[in-house]
Amino acid sequence: MKKLPTRKKGRLIIVAYRLPFKIIKNEGGTSLFQNSGGLVSAVLSLAQGNDNTSFEFEDKIQWIGYTDNTAEELEGVTLENDNFRAHPVFIPQELNDNYYEGFCNDLIWPLFHYFPTLARFENEFFEAYQEANLLFYDAMVDVIQPDDVIWIHDYQLMMLPDMIRQKFPKNKIGFFFHIPFPSFEIFRLLPSIWREAIIDGILGADVVGFHTNDYVEYFLKAVRMVIGQGSRMHYINLNNRLVKVDAFPISIDYQKFNDAFDDPKVVQARHDTRASLKEKVIFSVDRLDYSKGLLHRLKGYERFLEQYEEWHGRVSFVMMVVPSRDQIEQYQQMKSDIDQAVGRIGAKYGKINWQPIIYQYRSMPFEELVGLYTASDVALITPVRDGMNLVCKEYVASRKDEQGVLILSEMAGAAAELGEALIINPTDSQDIADAIVKALEMEPDDQRKRMIAMQQRLREYDVFAWTNDFFTQMIMIDQEHTRLKTKYLTEKDISQMSEAYAKAEKCLFFFDYDGTLVPIVRDPNDAVISDETREIVAELAKRDTVVVISGRDRKFLLEVLSDLPVHIVAEHGALIRKKGEAEFTMNAAYQEGWKESIRPILELYVKRCPGAFVEEKETSLAWHYRTADDHEYALRRAQELAWQLKNYIEPELNLQIIEGNMVIEVKKTAFNKGTSATAFMDEEKYDFILAMGDDTTDEDMFEALPDWAYTVKVGDALSIATKHIKNQNAVMELLNSFKK
Ligand code: GDG
């Protein structure tokens, strides 16, 4: 990855549900046992002066997280080791039950893993979730310093980014989501207030990361549907700031797993495993959870045994299930179903000297885990839904011998990166059975080819590259922000501009109409240019080239502008009337014949949304909803329509969807305000250019102009224009400065 020139300084604050170590109090004092999970090692790489990162972190990493110790137990205890300084969050038991067990694990976890029937929608869960997020916030208020960078993790803390943003608007905040973000059909099952709180909460961050592009897309759709906010190139422009939403597939410490292959303890564990098992070994490792597809996996394995008798007695399936949440009835039930299935399969196919499944319910030390990975011929990783899944990545990384076959569920985020695996559908037993045989019979050369390809990818994008990527985006957003930042025109700017104008020989002005030359009014037909503005535009147009460039149709623009000596561009560049000419001419790039396929979609949405209507312009179709009976409802429909159009229009039609003020418009991509502006610039050589506009469509125009041109955004929304003026009232003031 390209290194950025500037490295920012400040401290790193990590916020995750749990602290990275267990706090054990004994007679000799307090000991901290640091966890060795993926996040901890990733974060450590940042602290230990990883030269590649865009930040240079000062001091120890501050980690804010829940502890089950009480405040009294920890009083006077220094909670830090060489790497971390911990700031514990104390959550009373009952609150934690409703927050963590309730909202997080009985609602968000099942819902976001596509198990809506297991989700419990309880009001007290939601209240507890807000309250607990506030407790995290409270624990941070005194910790945060001006240059600190805050990185918040996962579905337990979705409201926290915005809470921090409100109080600390200048600190950089990142948010990473470790589980799947579901499609909108699932997300919309949440009550609307909860949905909004979640979206608003997450958007408090500067950078929001997910594992895959699908999750990014689903999140962006949720943002659009819930708060009506669109995005451009993964940036959400919240007017006063930007949020970058992107995919950062979490990875592992590749080298650690690869090196472990030769660790004597791992070598021993590998030999032990192989010595006690049959010719071929298949394994799986997961926490006890319905998302991991444990029962489906057993069914698939059973189908394999049923159909491929030649493998009886020659293969062992080691299924390790790591205890998790087994105090909860549902998990106990799942465990007992697994016990039964394993028992049934064993009884049906097992022999005195052969157990088809070796099932263990426990966790293992690292060396034993890697021993199992490296002893196995096949990894059978078949979650029905998994944000990423690290076990499969660890398996690939640990295979220094470049042998072994990965069977991987298409429902795991990791499937997007590990295309050389045998990809299966976890609910399809036959698919699993066939993949097992294919894996068992795969030639060593084929195994090697696939392993090498996957290893290369994981080596390049390991957990350190992952953190680096995320933090680089945190810097990049600053650059993007600086580029778009609102800089108001000062008196000095105005006098410089008018001086440049006075000196120039050939001047060109581009004016947007609504919101620039006239104020925005409720009824668009009332948007008539005032006498004062008319006078000054007329005066400019006598000396210079003036282009009024608008999305309006030609009829309206002619009515309001025909007596002015200006060029008129209608329908975002599709129609042009040159000064002095009577008629508009159609942009040469315009091709007829597309409206027939789009009009029925817009009309369907009119039926669905009382009060909305379709306007047919010459070169575009517009779905207006400012006249809708219920604005909030109409906004939702508008978002759905825009989404549908964007996703289902055939690319060959070359259409563009513009979301304007209370209108969704469809038009040809071949032209926009930018291409029109360019056409005027190409006609003559100008030494002074000024463009003014308030709308998102004016961004195309600003972007098309040369760097030396003056571009002025009316209003304070982030824009590519070099300067802003507060509102439409200020336009006159600026125009007056060009009087000669
Ligand atoms: C969530 C998302 C996403 C497991 N058993 C033992 C053991 N492990 C380690 C593995 C692996 C980790 O635990 C499990 O990670 P997964 O990614 O497979 O699954 P989740 O715990 O559900 O994690 C998931 C992840 O967050 C990261 O964003 O990938 O989709 O659900 O590292 O090695 N480690 C040891 N003994 C065990 O018995 N030592």
Side-chain angles (χ1 to χ4, degrees):
M1 178 155 300
K2 220 173 104 199
K3 209 173 126 185
L4 292 161
T6 43
R7 296 186 86 202
K8 293 229 161 182
K9 292 201 174 193
R11 298 180 315 164
L12 174 60
I13 303 185
I14 299 288
V15 200
Y17 175 67
R18 277 181 209 290
L19 285 178
F21 33 59
K22 285 204 167 55
I23 304 163
I24 312 277
K25 258 192 121 177
N26 46 31
E27 282 169 14
T30 311
S31 332
L32 305 177
F33 287 95
Q34 191 169 301
N35 303 336
S36 57
L39 182 60
V40 171
S41 46
V43 164
L44 277 176
S45 78
L46 290 168
Q48 286 156 1
N50 178 348
D51 279 349
N52 291 321
T53 55
S54 338
F55 284 86
E56 188 178 327
F57 290 111
E58 294 164 339
D59 202 356
K60 292 180 183 178
I61 296 169
Q62 315 292 308
W63 194 304
I64 292 107
Y66 167 72
T67 169
D68 31 21
N69 299 77
T70 62
E72 293 74 43
E73 281 172 332
L74 299 183
E75 208 175 302
V77 176
T78 315
L79 288 176
E80 57 181 83
N81 62 11
D82 291 346
N83 304 308
F84 298 108
R85 183 168 304 129
H87 303 270
V89 179
F90 303 101
I91 308 177
Q93 184 65 50
E94 198 187 333
L95 178 65
N96 203 41
D97 288 348
N98 281 326
Y99 155 62
Y100 183 66
E101 301 300 340
F103 197 84
C104 297
N105 289 340
D106 277 347
L107 171 64
I108 298 296
W109 179 274
L111 192 64
F112 284 29
H113 283 88
Y114 294 78
F115 287 88
T117 48
L118 299 184
R120 290 178 54 203
F121 299 81
E122 309 284 348
N123 272 329
E124 61 263 35
F125 287 0
F126 180 64
E127 281 156 22
Y129 190 77
Q130 288 174 300
E131 214 176 304
N133 272 245
L134 259 180
L135 289 180
F136 279 84
Y137 167 79
D138 290 342
M140 300 182 72
V141 172
D142 294 331
V143 177
I144 297 175
Q145 294 173 9
D147 289 327
D148 289 348
V149 177
I150 301 151
W151 197 12
I152 302 168
H153 288 267
D154 226 357
Y155 65 106
Q156 298 91 350
L157 298 169
M158 294 185 283
M159 288 183 195
L160 189 59
D162 189 51
M163 289 174 177
I164 300 170
R165 171 69 57 208
Q166 301 297 333
K167 173 89 176 169
F168 301 95
K170 296 225 160 80
N171 285 78
K172 280 262 135 317
I173 305 174
F175 180 76
F176 191 81
F177 206 70
H178 290 258
I179 66 171
F181 196 90
S183 83
F184 189 65
E185 288 312 309
I186 290 283
F187 188 69
R188 76 186 324 169
L189 293 174
L190 292 170
S192 57
I193 294 178
W194 302 10
R195 281 184 239 165
E196 258 173 64
I198 288 174
I199 297 294
D200 287 344
I202 293 176
L203 291 182
D206 296 286
V207 176
V208 178
F210 296 92
H211 289 308
T212 70
N213 286 321
D214 284 351
Y215 308 154
V216 168
E217 193 190 308
Y218 299 151
F219 177 73
L220 289 175
K221 176 163 183 183
V223 172
R224 175 187 297 280
M225 302 302 255
V226 174
I227 61 164
Q229 190 66 247
S231 59
R232 198 175 183 206
M233 311 286 284
H234 287 198
Y235 283 103
I236 299 174
N237 186 337
L238 294 177
N239 281 344
N240 58 350
R241 59 188 196 87
L242 292 173
V243 181
K244 174 87 191 259
V245 181
D246 216 340
F248 304 90
I250 198 170
S251 195
I252 52 163
D253 184 343
Y254 181 88
Q255 216 46 55
K256 177 176 155 193
F257 281 90
N258 203 252
D259 290 348
F261 188 88
D262 298 321
D263 174 338
K265 283 190 188 151
V266 171
V267 173
Q268 186 61 49
R270 178 159 65 241
H271 286 161
D272 292 350
T273 308
R274 291 251 44 141
S276 56
L277 296 175
K278 292 290 173 190
E279 190 186 319
K280 292 278 184 182
V281 179
I282 303 173
F283 88 94
S284 69
V285 175
D286 334 64
R287 279 185 306 102
L288 178 69
D289 197 275
Y290 42 81
S291 64
K292 302 289 182 185
L294 299 162
L295 284 164
H296 289 98
R297 184 179 310 157
L298 286 170
K299 267 195 180 165
Y301 185 65
E302 188 174 10
R303 177 72 63 90
F304 156 75
L305 292 176
E306 195 181 295
Q307 293 183 347
Y308 298 97
E309 217 171 305
E310 64 274 26
W311 280 102
H312 289 193
R314 293 168 57 204
V315 61
S316 308
F317 173 27
V318 183
M319 180 157 132
M320 301 295 297
V321 177
V322 180
S324 172
R325 307 188 72 210
D326 53 10
Q327 306 306 313
I328 294 166
E329 205 187 310
Q330 202 177 56
Y331 283 71
Q332 284 168 356
Q333 182 59 48
M334 191 184 2
K335 182 167 179 301
S336 118
D337 292 345
I338 294 168
D339 292 349
Q340 273 185 25
V342 171
R344 189 170 42 75
I345 298 168
K348 193 164 166 193
Y349 296 100
K351 301 202 177 96
I352 298 288
N353 61 348
W354 175 57
Q355 254 183 291
I357 306 175
I358 294 144
Y359 163 54
Q360 304 211 343
Y361 186 66
R362 64 177 174 97
S363 59
M364 296 166 280
F366 175 78
E367 290 76 14
E368 191 187 341
L369 179 75
V370 184
L372 178 61
Y373 288 163
T374 52
S376 299
D377 302 281
V378 181
L380 188 55
I381 314 291
T382 62
V384 281
R385 204 56 77 163
D386 212 337
M388 173 53 76
N389 191 291
L390 294 179
V391 170
C392 61
K393 291 192 169 182
E394 293 166 2
Y395 174 66
V396 170
S398 66
R399 298 311 299 246
K400 205 174 191 172
D401 57 349
E402 296 165 353
Q403 289 299 289
V405 182
L406 172 62
I407 299 178
L408 180 59
S409 161
E410 60 181 295
M411 309 296 179
E417 288 168 87
L418 301 176
E420 293 78 7
L422 300 181
I423 303 286
I424 52 94
N425 179 327
T427 61
D428 184 343
S429 307
Q430 191 61 48
D431 205 11
I432 297 183
D434 294 343
I436 292 175
V437 177
K438 190 169 174 195
L440 292 173
E441 291 174 352
M442 193 180 285
E443 292 296 330
D445 263 3
D446 196 6
Q447 295 184 32
R448 175 163 295 115
K449 250 195 279 164
R450 291 168 188 258
M451 263 302 165
I452 289 177
M454 294 191 283
Q455 288 183 342
Q456 191 178 348
R457 215 166 298 132
L458 294 182
R459 194 182 304 116
E460 274 166 19
Y461 198 86
D462 64 2
V463 74
F464 310 117
W466 174 71
T467 35
N468 189 19
D469 194 5
F470 194 90
F471 280 85
T472 302
Q473 291 304 325
M474 295 259 241
I475 295 266
M476 302 280 271
I477 200 165
D478 265 357
Q479 293 175 346
E480 185 63 9
H481 207 262
T482 313
R483 195 168 81 95
L484 302 184
K485 209 169 136 185
T486 308
K487 285 175 242 96
Y488 289 107
L489 263 184
T490 58
E491 290 291 328
K492 198 168 152 215
D493 294 327
I494 295 179
S495 60
Q496 269 174 359
M497 210 187 281
S498 55
E499 262 172 48
Y501 173 69
K503 278 192 214 146
E505 289 181 1
K506 208 125 195 56
C507 306
L508 173 61
F509 289 87
F510 292 109
F511 298 126
D512 165 50
Y513 188 74
D514 296 276
T516 303
L517 290 183
V518 300
I520 298 280
V521 287
R522 200 178 149 70
D523 181 352
N525 291 319
D526 296 340
V528 178
I529 188 165
S530 71
D531 289 344
E532 198 190 3
T533 312
R534 183 180 291 277
E535 205 174 292
I536 185 137
V537 172
E539 195 196 315
L540 283 178
K542 265 189 242 153
R543 297 190 297 264
D544 309 312
T545 307
V546 176
V547 187
V548 177
I549 189 163
S550 167
R552 294 271 199 154
D553 64 21
R554 67 160 109 180
K555 185 166 163 285
F556 176 85
L557 291 173
L558 266 189
E559 264 167 35
V560 292
L561 300 172
S562 60
D563 57 335
L564 286 172
V566 296
H567 301 279
I568 305 174
V569 175
E571 301 196 10
H572 303 286
L575 295 159
I576 297 161
R577 196 205 72 153
K578 287 290 180 69
K579 182 166 103 175
E581 285 176 8
E583 284 306 317
F584 276 84
T585 45
M586 186 79 79
N587 187 312
Y590 184 74
Q591 291 161 322
E592 283 291 352
W594 59 272
K595 284 184 187 158
E596 291 62 36
S597 56
I598 303 300
R599 198 184 297 106
I601 306 178
L602 302 192
E603 278 163 2
L604 180 69
Y605 274 79
V606 168
K607 287 199 191 106
R608 285 183 184 169
C609 183
F613 67 94
V614 176
E615 179 194 7
E616 178 151 355
K617 299 189 196 175
E618 272 167 89
T619 61
S620 73
L621 285 171
W623 189 84
H624 290 274
Y625 59 99
R626 69 180 126 71
T627 41
D629 304 344
D630 177 344
H631 269 168
E632 220 170 279
Y633 175 80
L635 176 68
R636 282 211 299 275
R637 286 283 175 241
Q639 301 309 329
E640 280 170 14
L641 171 62
W643 190 265
Q644 185 175 351
L645 290 169
K646 279 186 186 161
N647 283 280
Y648 300 110
I649 284 183
E650 295 156 36
E652 308 83 80
L653 286 176
N654 277 328
L655 294 175
Q656 187 180 352
I657 319 300
I658 302 175
E659 291 173 63
N661 189 4
M662 300 270 187
V663 58
I664 305 281
E665 194 159 350
V666 188
K667 67 174 194 67
K668 279 275 180 192
T669 24
F671 44 81
N672 57 33
K673 288 189 178 184
T675 54
S676 304
T678 310
F680 277 98
M681 283 188 302
D682 290 348
E683 279 174 9
E684 294 211 42
K685 208 166 157 34
Y686 293 97
D687 53 357
F688 178 93
I689 301 177
L690 168 71
M692 265 204 267
D694 72 312
D695 201 73
T696 44
T697 58
D698 296 316
E699 297 296 306
D700 294 325
M701 167 170 78
F702 297 145
E703 202 148 22
L705 298 182
D707 288 347
W708 53 264
Y710 297 94
T711 48
V712 179
K713 168 92 177 172
V714 182
D716 54 11
L718 287 173
S719 165
I720 202 165
T722 43
K723 294 286 164 154
H724 289 239
I725 51 175
K726 277 261 178 242
N727 47 39
Q728 198 272 330
N729 292 335
V731 172
M732 264 318 288
E733 201 183 318
L734 179 59
L735 291 185
N736 273 323
S737 67
F738 299 113
K739 274 190 172 158
K740 276 192 174 164

